[in-house]
Amino acid sequence: PVHIDWIQQGPWASPDERGFGVAPLLTQQGLFVHGIAVDVRNGKRFMNEMADRKTRADAEYVILREAPKAYPVVIGTYNTFGPQIYPQVDKGLATGVMKKFDTLDALAANYKIPTDALKESVKKYNETALAGKEDEFKKQTLKDLKATPIDMKGPFYAIRLMPKPHHTMGGLKIDTSARVISANTNKPIPGLFAAGEVTGGTHGASRLGTVAVTDCLTFGLIAGETI
Ligand SMILES: Cc1cc2nc3c(=O)[nH]c(=O)nc-3n(C[C@H](O)[C@H](O)[C@H](O)COP(=O)(O)OP(=O)(O)OC[C@H]3O[C@@H](n4cnc5c(N)ncnc54)[C@H](O)[C@@H]3O)c2cc1C
């Protein structure tokens, strides 16, 4: 086996629902793009909300290791959500995984975020975004993302964040012919082939989005041809 304890974490998930849930759609296709994620202890941003999965999950874990109940909160306004996820907005509110507040003061009070610091973080983000300047966390500009700033009129939408296991990076070692390699002999085990998530090492430390299925198809096809 290779990298057997490497598990990719999805930084878009929430502790307020079971499994994958609806939060990943609302964050990935909305709140992370247009909004900001803050550390509830100080009201400040702590990551590029559009960074790769590992960078974001690691940043969330830095907070959660220090304070296991201080789930970071991602915040945005309705302009965040594209038409394709409008039904998910209602679902997120109905299940309670996403909450809606008329004011930033109410949002801050609910999550016990220092109010002035939170307002300052939103102001700073919006100013940078509108000016098209480089963001302090090197997030792409909102122009690049075709996104708009947080609408200060509100209402404000928020989701608590907690990474959840998303992909097992490790698994059986295979060669380029999809033959499983023995840990004892470092040679192919006759007649044993593998493809997809059961294999390890194909994607390194952090799999990029959408390529797992390609991995399954490619090595599945190769295994078939090799047999
Ligand atoms: C929420 C989520 C979203 C994702 N989105 C994407 C995406 O957009 N694009 C992308 O490329 N990838 C995505 N992935 C990853 C991708 O879906 C998986 O990597 C891929 O489906 C794995 O396929 P697989 O056939 O290798 O393994 P699996 O789909 O896990 O199949 C293994 C099968 O083996 C069965 N099995 C296990 N043990 C035994 C046994 N002893 N006997 C018989 N059967 C057994 C299991 O029941 C299962 O059906 C996502 C993953 C998750 C969790």
Side-chain angles (χ1 to χ4, degrees):
V2 214
H3 304 159
I4 204 71
D5 57 347
W6 290 15
I7 313 254
Q8 180 175 71
Q9 305 287 317
W12 42 67
S14 175
D16 297 319
E17 63 184 343
R18 294 184 65 187
F20 193 71
V22 68
L25 295 173
L26 296 167
T27 52
Q28 282 293 98
Q29 296 179 36
L31 296 170
F32 276 155
V33 188
H34 303 242
I36 59 172
V38 298
D39 182 338
V40 293
R41 299 171 301 174
N42 57 27
K44 293 186 176 168
R45 286 177 68 209
F46 61 95
M47 65 175 182
N48 168 357
E49 296 84 356
M50 296 296 290
D52 67 273
R53 298 165 176 188
K54 182 170 182 348
T55 302
R56 286 179 293 169
D58 286 354
E60 292 172 14
Y61 275 131
V62 167
I63 294 172
L64 292 169
R65 281 201 190 92
E66 286 170 7
K69 297 284 177 198
Y71 300 109
V73 171
V74 63
I75 298 161
T77 40
Y78 199 77
N79 54 329
T80 291
F81 307 115
Q84 77 279 13
I85 56 164
Y86 285 161
Q88 310 302 331
V89 174
D90 294 338
K91 201 169 167 190
L93 291 172
T95 63
V97 69
M98 184 164 70
K99 295 196 185 312
K100 184 174 160 187
F101 303 90
D102 288 336
T103 62
L104 275 179
D105 293 80
L107 186 153
N110 183 73
Y111 297 109
K112 299 186 172 51
I113 305 172
T115 312
D116 290 343
L118 175 64
K119 287 182 176 170
E120 183 56 32
S121 295
V122 174
K123 185 168 167 265
K124 196 169 158 190
Y125 176 73
N126 272 358
E127 280 171 4
T128 312
L130 285 168
K133 287 193 206 145
E134 186 173 86
D135 179 84
E136 62 180 313
F137 293 97
K138 303 207 182 306
K139 184 174 179 175
Q140 287 162 279
T141 65
L142 291 191
K143 196 174 160 214
D144 290 340
L145 293 165
K146 297 188 177 53
T148 48
I150 295 171
D151 182 354
M152 293 311 289
K153 292 197 296 293
F156 301 89
Y157 295 81
I159 292 179
R160 297 202 302 169
L161 299 169
M162 181 184 77
K164 289 182 184 170
H166 186 63
H167 186 87
T168 50
M169 305 302 308
L172 296 171
K173 187 174 176 181
I174 55 167
D175 63 11
T176 52
S177 301
R179 298 178 298 183
V180 176
I181 305 299
S182 162
N184 293 330
T185 63
N186 209 28
K187 293 203 172 97
I189 299 171
L192 189 59
F193 298 83
E197 202 159 330
V198 76
T199 63
T202 316
H203 304 277
S206 183
R207 174 176 73 78
L208 301 177
T210 75
V211 295
V213 171
T214 320
D215 170 10
C216 298
L217 295 173
T218 306
F219 281 98
L221 207 68
I222 290 173
E225 285 172 351
T226 309
I227 293 165

